[in-house]
Amino acid sequence: MKKSSFVAMILGTVSGILFAIGMCMALIPEWESFNQGVILGCLGVILALITLFLWRKMENKEPVKISKKSILIFVIAIIGILALGVGMCFCMVWNNMIFGIVIGVIGILFLLSLIPVIKGIKK
């Protein structure tokens, strides 16, 4: 295993754990630690971004270039993730299965639309 892959694996795991614990802290009311959970979750996201940039530097890859296509991909991904999450909340938290399934399927369709946007459609 290359050193860059090992470092990325460790930092990625730590950032994922920080994010997951932060979201649990924020979303489980019995813990009464919403603000601390949001802060910990944000630290996990920041560490994930640092991991990405550090790994690209260790692999001698060019920095990520921001284009209109990458912004479009980002927006579609965010909409899809949020719609899927809201659909899950409707089903699991608010006991509204039909509306939750419809919103969740819309989120899944947005996420599936990322494939042709990223890869393109070829003959």
Side-chain angles (χ1 to χ4, degrees):
M1 175 180 273
K2 292 175 20 178
K3 182 179 178 181
S4 60
S5 298
F6 181 72
V7 170
M9 179 181 68
I10 297 298
L11 289 175
T13 302
V14 170
S15 67
I17 290 171
L18 286 175
F19 181 76
I21 292 173
M23 291 302 99
C24 287
M25 289 170 67
L27 297 175
I28 298 176
E30 291 85 15
W31 290 8
E32 297 178 1
S33 56
F34 179 80
N35 293 334
Q36 297 91 339
V38 170
I39 292 169
L40 198 61
C42 289
L43 286 174
V45 170
I46 291 168
L47 184 60
L49 291 173
I50 291 170
T51 302
L52 175 68
F53 292 121
L54 183 65
W55 178 77
R56 290 189 67 84
K57 181 144 180 91
M58 290 176 79
E59 289 286 319
N60 294 323
K61 295 188 178 211
E62 294 180 18
V64 177
K65 294 179 182 173
I66 298 176
S67 64
K68 290 180 183 177
K69 184 178 178 182
S70 64
I71 293 172
L72 174 69
I73 290 169
F74 184 75
V75 168
I76 291 173
I78 294 297
I79 291 171
I81 291 167
L82 287 175
L84 183 58
V86 168
M88 288 174 59
C89 285
F90 268 97
C91 291
M92 298 172 69
V93 177
W94 300 315
N95 296 323
N96 193 344
M97 292 295 287
I98 301 299
F99 198 55
I101 290 171
V102 170
I103 293 174
V105 168
I106 291 170
I108 290 170
L109 291 175
F110 266 94
L111 293 173
L112 285 174
S113 71
L114 286 171
I115 297 170
V117 171
I118 293 171
K119 294 287 184 180
I121 299 175
K122 300 175 184 163
K123 289 185 181 185

